[in-house]
Structures are given as C-alpha cells and as structure tokens.
Amino acid sequence: MSEQKKYILNKEEAGRKIQRMAYEIAERNMTETPPALILAGIRDNGVVIARSLQHLLQQIYPAPVQVLEVELDKRHPGVISWSDAGDFNGKTIVLVDDVANSGKTMLYALKPLLEFHPESIQTLALVERTHKKFPVHTDYVGLSLSTTLQEHIFVEVEGERVTGAYLV
C-alpha cells in the first residue's frame, strides 16, 4: 500500500510563512542596537529554511545575519556538530528546523550552547506538531498542526527553496 501525500503547504504558502517569520524575528530583536543574529539550521531542511530567512532578513534587519549548520542524528542524537564552533557568548541564536514534533531534536541541538552564555536563544519551525515530550517551546511557527501519533509531516525542498510540506 503506497502512502498518499496530503499537502498542508505548497511552495507559495511555505514562502509566505517563512517571510512572516523573518518579519517576526526582525521585530522581536529590533532594539536600539540590534544584535547580530545567528540562524542555526538543523541539517538538512532546517539549513534551507535558515538560508531563506537570512536572505529576507538581510533586506529588513540592520545587523549582520549569519547561518550555521547543526548536524545530528535526529532519531538517536549523540554527537552534535556545528559548522562553526565559534564563541556564542552574548550572541542571539535562532535554532531553525523544518518540523517540531516532540522537541527532542531541538533540545539536543541546544546542548553545545550550554558551554556558552548567549544573549538569547530562540527556536523556529516551519511546521509544529502538538506532541511535545521535551520542554522546548517554539518561538516562531509557520504552521501549527494537530496530528495523530501515526501521522508524519515531511517538508520538501528543491535546491535552496522549500517546495511544500505534506502529511502521511
């Protein structure tokens, strides 16, 4: 039996969600002296979303916006690596993933930051499910969706663009 895709976001809708979240990030972080932002995209789709956000933020946000990649095994997170293990002290970091489900991936991705003292850590997901098992709040959400535990959400990307999201 083949799984049928039930699209919950098409390319245009995903683009609008990402654009709205970019404006929310800019608004929330706009201060007298706006901080530089680090968008930490969780590989693979989180990085694509982070790069899209970076492109939009560079047009509307007056401070530098950098994208870093976070790599970990989403099912069994053990080793977490960042593309640049720089100094995160005093920095504003936005952790970006495609789908927030239980909160486990984001929680483990934050683990290396415990060695530093960032100014702020914020989280973003294009699609958020309501099955939290870990105490991670998603600050920026493109689409919040209640699903059954048997259903799964997949985000499709093509190159550097999100082309849709579907439910199976």
Side-chain angles (χ1 to χ4, degrees), residues 21 24-26 28-29 34-42 46 50 53 57 61 63-70 80-97 105-125 136-140:
M21 290 187 293
E24 288 177 11
I25 292 168
R28 179 173 178 177
N29 292 288
L37 296 175
I38 296 174
L39 302 175
I42 297 174
L53 289 164
L57 283 164
Y61 190 72
V65 181
Q66 177 184 7
V67 172
L68 298 180
E69 297 181 18
V70 182
I80 298 100
S81 62
W82 287 60
S83 60
D84 180 3
D87 180 7
F88 298 113
N89 290 317
K91 304 286 172 75
T92 297
I93 300 159
V94 181
L95 186 62
V96 180
D97 204 2
T105 300
M106 283 193 183
L107 184 66
Y108 277 91
L110 293 170
K111 185 178 173 185
L113 297 175
L114 297 177
E115 298 174 22
F116 300 94
H117 300 282
E119 176 68 29
S120 169
I121 299 174
Q122 302 161 16
T123 56
L124 178 147
V136 175
H137 168 77
T138 311
D139 297 298
Y140 308 102

Side-chain angles (χ1 to χ4, degrees), residues 1 32 36 40 97:
M1 181 174 150
E32 191 172 305
D97 204 2

Side-chain angles (χ1 to χ4, degrees), residues 1-160:
M1 181 174 150
S2 67
E3 297 175 337
Q4 186 174 0
K5 297 178 182 178
K6 293 182 250 175
Y7 279 88
I8 55 176
L9 290 174
N10 63 30
K11 182 178 181 178
E12 292 76 23
E13 292 166 335
R16 282 193 301 273
K17 302 284 187 195
I18 292 169
Q19 183 176 30
R20 177 182 47 79
M21 290 187 293
Y23 277 99
E24 288 177 11
I25 292 168
E27 183 178 306
R28 179 173 178 177
N29 292 288
M30 194 66 70
T31 59
E32 191 172 305
T33 314
L37 296 175
I38 296 174
L39 302 175
I42 297 174
R43 283 198 186 145
D44 290 300
N45 295 348
V47 175
V48 172
I49 295 166
R51 289 194 198 290
S52 295
L53 289 164
Q54 179 188 36
H55 174 73
L56 293 164
L57 283 164
Q58 286 174 332
Q59 299 170 40
I60 61 173
Y61 190 72
V65 181
Q66 177 184 7
V67 172
L68 298 180
E69 297 181 18
V70 182
E71 186 171 6
L72 70 150
D73 181 343
K74 288 187 174 193
R75 295 210 187 275
H76 306 287
V79 177
I80 298 100
S81 62
W82 287 60
S83 60
D84 180 3
D87 180 7
F88 298 113
N89 290 317
K91 304 286 172 75
T92 297
I93 300 159
V94 181
L95 186 62
V96 180
D97 204 2
D98 57 351
V99 179
N101 187 18
S102 68
K104 181 178 181 179
T105 300
M106 283 193 183
L107 184 66
Y108 277 91
L110 293 170
K111 185 178 173 185
L113 297 175
L114 297 177
E115 298 174 22
F116 300 94
H117 300 282
E119 176 68 29
S120 169
I121 299 174
Q122 302 161 16
T123 56
L124 178 147
L126 180 59
V127 182
E128 178 184 52
R129 295 179 65 189
T130 55
H131 301 294
K132 296 287 185 243
K133 294 180 183 177
F134 294 84
V136 175
H137 168 77
T138 311
D139 297 298
Y140 308 102
V141 177
L143 177 68
S144 186
L145 192 65
S146 293
T147 62
T148 67
L149 290 173
Q150 293 74 32
E151 293 175 308
H152 299 283
I153 296 172
F154 297 94
V155 173
E156 294 178 322
V157 297
E158 188 175 297
E160 289 294 311

